[in-house]
């Protein structure tokens, strides 16, 4: 069973008859950990690039997090083996690696911690993981309770995997003084120039115990023996062997002996993480475990509480109550949390892609606008003098552009006004336009206003003779890398997106009193829209682009990649599509792209390489960009639908983005409704068996746009130069809803209700009708009570 | 039990009471596979860089093969599950993943195939793997025999793991027409420039079956279920589920149902490997499996026989019979095989390190001298105009210098005369000196003689004011990377090695009639030896070098890295050490470096970074270059001992290089005596528990030097300008021995015997005493019978 806990603090997976692979994640300023219901875990921290302290058993490639990465027997994990000392029977909490399906089982994914409750054979085990608000460590509580009606004797073995730390140097031993297992390694390198980088790495992994263990084992091979990780031979012995690891794979395994009377319980606390040296572990021990009885100061508990506050600080600006409980829970609890995670950690990258950085920070406009503001200025400070934006934004002095950021993409500029507009709507802080920011690597400076003009002008000039924007080696779609690598191919989507960006920028200019400039960009938007309609309207929908060899693609005569979602939604946003075109493209999307799990990015998915389109056509059909329900694309479309007043369509698709609840959905999609993944497997018409599966990746530009859909669209509580513009687009099926909106320091409480006799939306503040739906003259700390009357079937 | 099979075709590990992790390996022109006694396998092929067709379950880093890499539950492997259809009991051959220790068990590592014989529960399973002589595929025979005294019904499930092929695109399905499981993937890449490289990769993995299976499963998760790889849930069913993999981890699992009467047996044949496409698999099917009954042509068997011949062609030039059966077996069977592997495959690298390439090909002088000749010319064609040699030799047009070959080392030139001299001794082919070879990247050419003069002159000039050779970022010892990176540090060893190289080159020049040049390099050798004695003699042994900051290291006052083996042995070779120094250094090596598993490379092993020495000091104590019994260094020392007439010392240390036989030794060292690994774990005095363990890596410059020790030293059957110089250095404990020596097209059969009354070695040919021990005027195809009389205790 899957359900939200009573106070919505957790999402709970309870007593399944088969074990899914759902996961939750925690993060802080310095690290991220994804733990799944079985006990597997992926944790990364920054030094400055992502690093691990619990490794795979083989040499793992350093790369971005992989979609749908399978778990396997020796996957890193945090396990508690339990052995009944009377009969030798063994199970492990939470589930792996022994895989005894417990009699009772709950996996409770919370915002600031994640818990498992396991009942098996008269013993209750409760495991809780949380993080401190900074620092890189896992704080674990393990509670064991005797719920059988007799005295019981158990051994409990926390076994936290460390894995193959390094081929250069790895070892591990129990440190009596620290009461910790300390595993040491040296990050391999071959060039002496890298020594300076690695010498200060936190290459040790430790498991620090509050309570003195009965015994321990640090040598993974000695621990497992021939029994294997699922039935370790060492557990057959009275005591673990107190072994060490010398250039052998270490494990942090401890043993505690428990004699528990009926209903007696005992709690243990552990800290697991990386460290530079023993001194650092000693300091952590002092801070979290020592002195607590003498001074009453409990560093561990305080850290837990601090972390709870840290996460709570990331709440959004909406609190909703609607007939859709699943949506309420996602919007009130999980969505802002995921958005906050993006804004705080920048996806644990030192060089986030520019478009990601801007969109992730767009989301921070709804949580901590100052963070968004700083980020926009930081990004612009890396703009080139010619107006173009780099492919990634460097966040750390030692960082460099890596992976995909070494491939030139042409869309980064469009995100500047688009993302900025959300910030301006939310804050009305037009002063940002006057901020003076340098260009990349130079002493020359310009105002934000000038910077963005330059960016827009770069888009105007990076075009072919028809007025279509060059795609080079990719636009928003990274792997569309061979459409224009010869320098001729163009992106239909980017041309449309440019039109939309010009329109948005024209609007911002106008509101800022720059009327002439506003006019210029309005005209540019119109021109671009004309060009789109001239070259890319295929009769029933818009084409995706034109290749280096002048072949239009994403059109009806293509057998694969016939229709692309982004080309349709953005033509609604930019205004390129007229009413007839709109009707046609809506129909085409519904017929060809919509699936039970959302709207797909393109269809039919490519099943073989198309060399004039590129890498996207080689990706697995239904995966990532090749026909997946790629939520980032889907949400643009939903946003466009709201913009176009297509509220029923929009809500239907929005709703498909939230998984579950329900075990069937978790088994198919593989996740709880605690985050929106970057994609669900698509190609529904081609490979229905696997459609709907979650990528399990929670890094995605989707989330800030989902939030923007709620603010600007569904609940229609968007900021405006004049105040709060209230124009909700509730689905017909909702007869009422309420929204608490934090806005520019005020609280706005909105009750929405359909009423017979009402013919169009009526907005009242304290009983007074707001004729244009705009709440004006908003005062800080004020409370506004808004009543919205809606007609039925509007 | 461990023993050589009767005909010495196999080394066998039989019915152990616990299962070790010994392995064997097979290779051909295009691939290499290392299989271990448990069923795990690592296979690599070239396209052009090393690639895999059976992967780890996670994204594995592309890197060189790792020492002591641990196996783990989901490690790639080739398994045969057996299910008794009457009672549902399961075991797996050879051992993993079910881990039932069979009633009878033999792991027989052969030269041209590797076999397992398993008896369990009245059923015998025999598995045999071989390779074709070219092409990348594994040829498998699986024979099942009912040895219980009643009819039996079984399901047999070959389960060959495929693993995580690619995050970009992976799938798998059963192909009815091919009777094969075909798994497809696309190698991930991000830059369009890489598309050209990857588009022709053999990214498919197939398991081709001769016999139609009863059922199959291609989906690893469906195969395992919650039972896991050690007890797959799919085996609980009547039939495997005929599932496919769509962006899921594939496995090649087949099911055969067997009804076997008493003593009845049935054989199955399979082919496993990578392919470009289905057509290629179809062609393989035709070649190996089809038509065999109609035309009597059995391509599979023929390929096995061809491969046997291919491996047999790699026999050496010695066949020995001595009181030391273990040595006989290693020398007659395994050592030339390993040497041949190096010469043929160049370690499956496209850019072997220059010193490795030269030494590996030095070994080919004893097998196929033409290969060695071609390799020396190829290497010289990449020499720079200033005489220096590049860090790696490019073997493929698409290859580039990678990993360690991007770090500048200063020793490559010394190997030219040293390795060439073995070729000249063996062939007397001084015409190679007149070959005209270009320089790297230019049109300019020079003779080999001129090339090597330039190399020697480069060594003479790449020195400091004292006459010591700069080390830059490493010499023979790669990770000694911070001794001289600032441009001042020098290598004692390299100065000594240069002296030795000058001496060797002087000798070659003299024999080639270039007396003036010979005199020049003799003087250079003397000068270098003087310099060594002036700056690097520490009183009891030679120092290893002097750092950038003018600190001498590898000396008595150092607490770690006090003595380095190479500095001692090469001082014997170069003639730097006088008799008194020789005695002292021999004693120092024996006291400080010798261990039960061989002689260590340095001691005490470093336990912490020494920044003025470098990365070597950060390696795990006892591993690789930091205090291991690094056989490449050990064998230089042994060679030096033979050169210095220290035959007892030499034999004792040589003998320690060959593991086993004996299960204890296999459990400690982890290998059968079928190859010499690059190291055994050292630091014996610091970490005795782990000392002696094999790295499991069979790529090592050691083997050609071991062979040279046998030819030039132990059996003293070295070639000479005049003929075959016979001056054996048998250990005192041997009273007789015989050697068949292939030499310049003739057969020389040598009987060695100690006789009372003999006071010095007497060599007779057909009863005639050869006064200087040299067999002259050797004729092709002739047979010479030599009798050698030796005194007792010489």
């Amino acid at each position: 069973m899957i359900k939200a806990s009573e106070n919505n603090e957790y999402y709970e997976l309870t007593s399944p008859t088969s074990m899914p692979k759902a996961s939750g994640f925690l993060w802080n300023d310095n690290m991220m950990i994804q733990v799944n219901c079985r006990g597997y875990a992926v944790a990364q921290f920054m030094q400055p690039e992502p690093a691990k302290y619990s490794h795979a058993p083989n040499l793992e490639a350093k790369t971005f997090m992989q979609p749908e990465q399978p778990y396997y027997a020796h996957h890193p994990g945090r396990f508690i083996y339990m052995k009944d000392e009377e009969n030798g029977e063994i199970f492990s909490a939470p589930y792996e690696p022994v895989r005894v399906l417990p009699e009772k089982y709950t996996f409770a994914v919370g915002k600031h911690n994640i818990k498992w409750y396991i009942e098996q054979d008269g013993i209750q085990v409760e495991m809780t993981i949380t993080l401190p608000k900074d620092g890189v460590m896992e704080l674990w509580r393990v509670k064991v309770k005797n719920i059988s009606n007799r005295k019981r004797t158990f051994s409990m073995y926390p076994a936290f995997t460390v894995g193959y730390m390094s081929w250069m140097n790895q070892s591990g031993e129990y440190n009596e003084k620290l009461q910790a297992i300390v595993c040491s390694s040296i990050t391999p390198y071959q060039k002496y120039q890298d020594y300076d980088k690695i010498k200060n790495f936190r290459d040790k992994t430790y498991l620090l115990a509050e309570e003195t263990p009965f015994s321990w084992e640090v040598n993974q091979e000695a621990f497992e023996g021939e029994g294997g990780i699922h039935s370790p031979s060492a557990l057959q012995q009275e005591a673990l062997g107190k072994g060490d690891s010398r250039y052998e794979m270490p494990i942090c395994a401890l043993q505690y002996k428990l004699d528990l009377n009926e209903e007696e319980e005992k709690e243990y606390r552990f800290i697991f993480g990386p460290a530079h040296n023993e001194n650092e572990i000693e300091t952590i021990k002092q801070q979290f475990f020592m002195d607590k009885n003498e001074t009453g100061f409990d560093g561990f508990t305080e850290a837990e509480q601090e972390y709870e506050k840290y996460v709570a600080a990331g709440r959004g600006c909406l609190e909703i109550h609607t007939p859709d409980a699943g949506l309420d829970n996602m919007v009130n609890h999980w969505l802002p949390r995921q958005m906050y995670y993006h804004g705080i950690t920048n996806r644990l990258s030192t060089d986030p892609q520019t478009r990601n950085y801007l969109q992730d920070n767009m989301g921070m406009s709804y949580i901590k606008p100052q963070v968004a503001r700083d980020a926009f200025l930081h990004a612009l400070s890396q703009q080139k003098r010619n107006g173009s934006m780099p492919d990634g934004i460097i966040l750390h002095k030692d960082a460099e552009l890596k992976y995909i950021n070494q491939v030139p993409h042409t869309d980064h500029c469009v995100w500047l006004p688009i993302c900025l507009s959300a910030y301006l709507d939310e804050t009305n802080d037009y002063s940002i336009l006057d901020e003076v920011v340098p260009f990349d690597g130079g002493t020359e400076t310009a105002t934000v206003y000038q910077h963005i003009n330059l960016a827009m002008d770069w888009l105007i000039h990076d075009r072919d003779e028809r007025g279509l924007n060059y795609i080079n080696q990719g636009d928003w779609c990274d792997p569309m890398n061979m459409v224009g690598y010869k320098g001729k191919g163009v992106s239909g989507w980017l041309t449309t997106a440019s039109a939309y960006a010009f329109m948005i920028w024209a609007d911002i200019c106008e509101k800022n009193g720059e009327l002439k400039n506003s006019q210029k960009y309005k005209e540019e938007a119109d021109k671009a829209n004309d060009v789109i309609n001239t070259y890319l309207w295929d009769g029933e929908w818009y084409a995706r682009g034109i290749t280096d060899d002048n072949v239009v693609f994403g059109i009806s005569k293509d057998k694969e990649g016939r229709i692309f979602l982004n080309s349709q939604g953005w033509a609604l946003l930019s205004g390129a599509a007229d009413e007839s075109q709109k009707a046609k493209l809506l129909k085409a999307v519904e017929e060809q792209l919509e699936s039970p799990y959302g709207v797909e990015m393109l269809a039919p998915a490519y099943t073989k390489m198309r060399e004039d389109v590129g890498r996207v056509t080689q990706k697995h059909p239904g995966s990532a960009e090749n026909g997946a329900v790629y939520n980032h694309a889907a949400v643009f479309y939903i946003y466009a639908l709201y913009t176009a007043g297509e509220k029923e369509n929009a809500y239907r698709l929005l709703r498909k983005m939230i998984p579950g609840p329900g075990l069937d959905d978790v088994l198919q999609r593989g996740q709880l409704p605690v985050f929106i993944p970057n994609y669900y497997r698509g190609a529904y018409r081609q490979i229905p068996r696997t459609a709907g599966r979650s990528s399990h990746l929670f890094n995605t530009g989707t989330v800030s746009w989902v939030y923007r859909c709620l603010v600007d669209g569904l609940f229609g509580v968007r900021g405006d130069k004049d105040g709060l513009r209230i124009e909700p687009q509730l689905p017909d099926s909702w007869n009422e809803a309420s929204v608490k909106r934090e806005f520019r320091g005020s609280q706005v409480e909105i009750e929405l209700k359909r009423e017979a006799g009402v013919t169009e939306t009526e907005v009242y503040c304290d009983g007074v009708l707001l004729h244009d739906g705009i709440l004006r003259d908003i005062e800080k700390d004020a409370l506004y009570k808004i009543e919205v009357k809606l007609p039925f079937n509007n």
Side-chain angles (χ1 to χ4, degrees), chain A residues 593-602 622-624 626-634 656-657 669 677-684 691-693:
Chain A
L593 295 172
E594 197 170 330
S595 86
Y597 307 102
V599 60
E600 294 170 354
M601 185 179 146
L602 64 88
S623 81
N626 185 14
V629 175
Y630 203 75
N631 285 322
H632 199 185
K656 291 184 177 187
M657 215 171 263
R669 300 213 196 192
N678 76 330
Y679 74 78
Y680 300 111
R681 194 89 78 82
Y684 175 70
R693 293 192 182 173

Side-chain angles (χ1 to χ4, degrees), chain A residues 502-529:
Chain A
F502 298 151
M503 209 177 89
I504 296 290
W505 184 236
D507 185 55
I508 293 171
C509 290
E510 185 180 336
K511 285 180 177 155
N512 204 38
E514 304 281 355
L515 300 183
K516 195 170 151 204
N517 214 39
S518 174
Q519 189 55 36
K520 166 183 166 184
Y521 290 110
K522 270 184 194 146
E523 284 164 16
E524 287 296 339
D526 291 344
K527 271 196 268 177
N529 280 332

Side-chain angles (χ1 to χ4, degrees), chain A residues 53-58 74-77 159-167 169-174 181-186 203-207 217-224 229 243-253 272:
Chain A
Y53 52 88
S54 181
H55 306 260
N58 59 349
H74 276 92
H75 190 284
F160 286 25
T161 66
V162 178
Y164 193 55
M165 302 175 86
S166 163
W167 58 258
N169 193 332
Q170 62 176 2
S171 61
E173 62 194 3
Y174 182 74
I181 288 174
V182 181
C183 306
S184 303
S185 72
I186 290 172
D203 271 350
K204 290 186 192 293
T205 299
Y206 65 91
L207 178 63
E217 183 54 77
V218 188
N219 188 304
Q220 173 137 3
E221 195 167 352
F223 180 70
E224 288 189 25
I229 190 78
D244 58 9
S245 283
R246 301 293 163 205
Y247 208 47
E248 296 158 308
M249 210 151 67
I251 191 168
C252 292
F272 187 59

